[in-house]
Amino acid sequence: MRKPMIAGNWKMNLLYSKVPEYLQTLNRELAANSRIRRDAVDVLLAVPAPFLGLAREYGEKHGILIAAQTIHEKPEGAFTGELSIPMLKDLGLRWTLIGHSERRQYYNETDASVAAKAKACLDQGINPIVCVGETRAEREGGQTEAVLKRQVEAVLRETGAASNFVIAYEPVWAIGTGLTATDEQAQEAHAFIRGILRQKLGGAAEALRILYGGSVKSSNIKGLMKQPDVDGALVGGASLDPVEFARIVDCQ
Ligand code: PGA
């Protein structure tokens, strides 16, 4: 039985000074909600690097996990602007996104660098949420499965039997566009990814969570979560409003 995870990704949005208010509202909304048991779902927020310490202070005491949005694979060095795994751990944090399509698209992250980051995380006790997904051209060209296979296998080759990560399937054409994959399209891709995990990891694949991401809102989460291989969601735009994000957590 996989515990669902609803993860928010603030990307480069909101402000440090708004963090306490956001998290107080989210905590209040989640607490006010009697339908979900708080320990029945993992709630996580990936926030901009400067907010990490403050977000932890306000979030984790209420059981909200705080994550970085990306991490460098090296522990230290001359890498201006980057965040290291020891820095994250020093803040008492244990989660990060890796390989988000915006990182792949705008910052030249490759299958190889994503795999190196995943390995560094697992080696050092950080839980990575590894993002994969095809572009619109790749889907239209019938390449979806080939792309997912390439992206997932690149990570598995590095991480091997230690592959204890969360995967986020985020079709690039559905991110920030208002276009969501249908429940069936999501299930199909998730089942395909689980098949790849099963081939490499055997029974351990059943315990790994695969989140769906791409224009998730409170109005479409229910159908997605009914799919047997959809174990949660990675929510961008709709996570910026704590009331709507709490609704998504409640609807799962
Ligand atoms: P979106 O973003 O929900 O705004 O489409 C999802 C993501 O990029 O993680």
Side-chain angles (χ1 to χ4, degrees), residues 173-199:
W173 49 272
I175 295 178
T177 57
L179 294 172
T180 321
T182 63
D183 299 344
E184 294 71 28
Q185 282 172 325
Q187 168 57 25
E188 208 180 342
H190 284 226
F192 179 75
I193 291 169
R194 198 171 311 279
I196 299 169
L197 298 173
R198 214 176 271 132
Q199 270 172 20

Side-chain angles (χ1 to χ4, degrees), residues 92-108:
L93 296 171
R94 288 289 176 275
W95 288 87
T96 186
L97 304 184
I98 284 185
H100 189 280
S101 65
E102 287 148 18
R103 302 289 316 170
R104 293 179 191 253
Q105 193 181 343
Y106 305 132
Y107 303 100
N108 306 319

Side-chain angles (χ1 to χ4, degrees), residues 9 11 100-102 170 174-178 213-216 234-238:
N9 175 12
K11 308 190 180 184
H100 189 280
S101 65
E102 287 148 18
E170 299 204 298
I175 295 178
T177 57
S215 298
V216 171
L234 180 54
V235 186

Side-chain angles (χ1 to χ4, degrees), residues 13 27 42 46 49 62 82 90 102 117 137 161 170 200 230 245:
N13 290 296
N27 290 331
D42 281 339
H62 298 284
E82 293 289 333
D90 192 44
E102 287 148 18
K117 287 168 196 273
E170 299 204 298
K200 304 281 173 189
V230 176
F245 188 57

Side-chain angles (χ1 to χ4, degrees), residues 139-185:
R139 176 161 282 265
E140 287 172 357
Q143 293 298 302
T144 300
E145 294 195 343
V147 169
L148 295 178
K149 188 165 157 43
R150 193 197 73 221
Q151 292 177 332
V152 174
E153 285 186 350
V155 175
L156 289 170
R157 257 195 308 277
E158 276 297 316
T159 56
S163 302
N164 184 22
F165 43 64
V166 174
I167 289 200
Y169 167 61
E170 299 204 298
V172 179
W173 49 272
I175 295 178
T177 57
L179 294 172
T180 321
T182 63
D183 299 344
E184 294 71 28
Q185 282 172 325

Side-chain angles (χ1 to χ4, degrees), residues 39-118:
D39 59 354
V41 53
D42 281 339
V43 180
L44 176 144
L45 284 171
V47 305
F51 308 176
L52 284 166
L54 186 65
R56 173 177 179 267
E57 199 181 304
Y58 280 84
E60 291 207 335
K61 67 177 173 231
H62 298 284
I64 293 165
L65 302 167
I66 302 298
Q69 296 178 358
T70 185
I71 204 79
H72 198 280
E73 61 273 25
K74 296 265 169 40
E76 63 189 3
F79 301 104
T80 301
E82 293 289 333
L83 179 69
S84 76
I85 291 170
M87 290 173 194
L88 196 63
K89 288 172 73 172
D90 192 44
L91 285 167
L93 296 171
R94 288 289 176 275
W95 288 87
T96 186
L97 304 184
I98 284 185
H100 189 280
S101 65
E102 287 148 18
R103 302 289 316 170
R104 293 179 191 253
Q105 193 181 343
Y106 305 132
Y107 303 100
N108 306 319
E109 291 199 7
T110 61
D111 289 343
S113 68
V114 173
K117 287 168 196 273

